[in-house]
Amino acid sequence: MELDRAGLLAALALQLDWGAEEALEDAPPDRSAPARPMPVIPAAGEPPAPRPLAASATVVAVAPPAAGRAAEAAAAATTLDELREAIRAFDGSSLRETATNLVFSDGDPASRLMFIGEAPGGEEDRLGRPFVGPSGQLLDRMLASIGLRRDEGGFCITNILPWRPPGNRTPTDAEIALFLPFVLRHIALVKPRRVVLLGGTSAKALLRAKDGITRLRGKWHPISVEGLGIVPALATLHPAYLLRTPAAKRDAWADLLMLRRSIDADGA
């Protein structure tokens, strides 16, 4: 006992030398009590288990993430007009704060042929219509060469993003994912017999593909759309790319001939 007492006094003196001036607890701890279990540490990447709220805690409602709200707003739209207004009212992206106009769609959705591009440019943002700038004018000429004209109900056209990104920059992956529910709902409401994906952004977003447009183009791919099933989609080069790379027009022309043959095959 004297040895234990001497040891404790020596430990206390050591703590005083270290600068300890007050006790951390009101009473000495019971060293003979069973040790408390260690807290469970979640594995890497695994979210921690939620702690139960105290009985007196107040539950505060938290707005769902923007992606969840986008999916809910898109699913609630039963007409194209409702979908347009749902996109206009959606505040989950800062793009609408820097854009001039919402760019929803153009052409005739009753044609059952749908083109989907990347995002509006400066002219599209100013007029509120997709593909009205130089690339859109080239696209109209190309489609007219196979007998398709938007002003005669030959097709409808839209973009992955409904708002122009600042400076015409490429859409980010987060922006594409955020607006994808609206695009898929747009397809479901139009009920197209076939879809044409203009450029890599549109093709990779809707085909869930990692390959570039040069590997995806010239082929029909299936798109799964809720409430509609499988829709055949043809990936091709964006007309803006053709303006920069005229030599690629030969590949684009081959894709258009493939589209024309498909339309002629079923008479629609």
Side-chain angles (χ1 to χ4, degrees), residues 106 123-124 129-144 150 155 157 198 238-240 243:
D106 196 22
E123 195 70 10
E124 290 78 10
R129 294 172 53 207
F131 285 89
V132 293
S135 64
Q137 294 166 18
L138 173 60
L139 179 65
D140 284 345
R141 293 196 300 270
M142 292 168 58
L143 294 177
R150 80 168 94 180
F155 58 91
I157 189 164
L198 299 169
H238 196 286
L243 288 174

Side-chain angles (χ1 to χ4, degrees), residues 181-248:
F182 292 113
V183 179
L184 290 170
R185 187 59 180 159
H186 200 158
I187 298 173
L189 292 172
V190 170
K191 298 181 176 63
R193 285 192 175 94
R194 52 187 62 78
V195 172
V196 179
L197 306 174
L198 299 169
T201 296
S202 176
K204 288 192 283 187
L206 286 164
L207 300 179
R208 310 294 204 276
K210 295 183 179 179
D211 290 334
I213 187 62
T214 55
R215 294 180 64 88
L216 295 172
R217 60 150 294 272
K219 304 172 187 174
W220 288 98
H221 305 266
I223 297 178
S224 179
V225 180
E226 185 174 353
L228 191 59
I230 300 298
V231 180
L234 176 65
T236 190
L237 302 169
H238 196 286
Y241 174 77
L242 300 178
L243 288 174
R244 300 190 303 268
T245 317

Side-chain angles (χ1 to χ4, degrees), residues 1-12:
M1 187 65 180
E2 285 299 324
L3 290 176
D4 291 342
R5 180 183 178 85
L8 292 173
L9 290 173
L12 181 59

Side-chain angles (χ1 to χ4, degrees), residues 16-244:
L16 290 173
D17 289 340
W18 285 346
E21 298 177 350
E22 58 183 347
L24 296 179
E25 300 182 9
D26 295 333
D30 183 0
R31 305 296 182 185
S32 63
R36 287 183 292 181
M38 292 288 290
V40 177
I41 300 175
E46 179 183 349
R51 289 186 288 182
L53 292 174
S56 61
T58 301
V59 178
V60 179
V62 178
R69 291 190 286 117
E72 291 175 2
T78 59
T79 67
L80 290 174
D81 286 340
E82 289 180 3
L83 182 63
R84 180 191 293 108
E85 293 311 308
I87 296 172
R88 191 188 307 277
F90 179 64
D91 62 356
S93 170
S94 62
L95 289 177
R96 75 172 190 170
E97 308 303 326
T98 57
T100 302
N101 284 304
L102 170 69
V103 181
F104 182 64
S105 68
D106 196 22
D108 182 11
S111 68
R112 308 291 293 277
L113 173 61
M114 189 173 188
F115 287 78
I116 303 175
E118 178 180 295
E123 195 70 10
E124 290 78 10
D125 181 47
R126 187 176 68 83
L127 298 177
R129 294 172 53 207
F131 285 89
V132 293
S135 64
Q137 294 166 18
L138 173 60
L139 179 65
D140 284 345
R141 293 196 300 270
M142 292 168 58
L143 294 177
S145 69
I146 60 169
L148 296 174
R149 293 175 174 82
R150 80 168 94 180
D151 57 355
E152 296 179 6
F155 58 91
C156 68
I157 189 164
T158 188
N159 282 304
I160 293 292
L161 296 191
W163 305 103
R164 178 197 183 201
N168 286 356
R169 63 165 171 75
T170 301
T172 66
D173 291 343
E175 289 167 345
I176 294 169
L178 183 62
F179 284 100
L180 195 56
F182 292 113
V183 179
L184 290 170
R185 187 59 180 159
H186 200 158
I187 298 173
L189 292 172
V190 170
K191 298 181 176 63
R193 285 192 175 94
R194 52 187 62 78
V195 172
V196 179
L197 306 174
L198 299 169
T201 296
S202 176
K204 288 192 283 187
L206 286 164
L207 300 179
R208 310 294 204 276
K210 295 183 179 179
D211 290 334
I213 187 62
T214 55
R215 294 180 64 88
L216 295 172
R217 60 150 294 272
K219 304 172 187 174
W220 288 98
H221 305 266
I223 297 178
S224 179
V225 180
E226 185 174 353
L228 191 59
I230 300 298
V231 180
L234 176 65
T236 190
L237 302 169
H238 196 286
Y241 174 77
L242 300 178
L243 288 174
R244 300 190 303 268

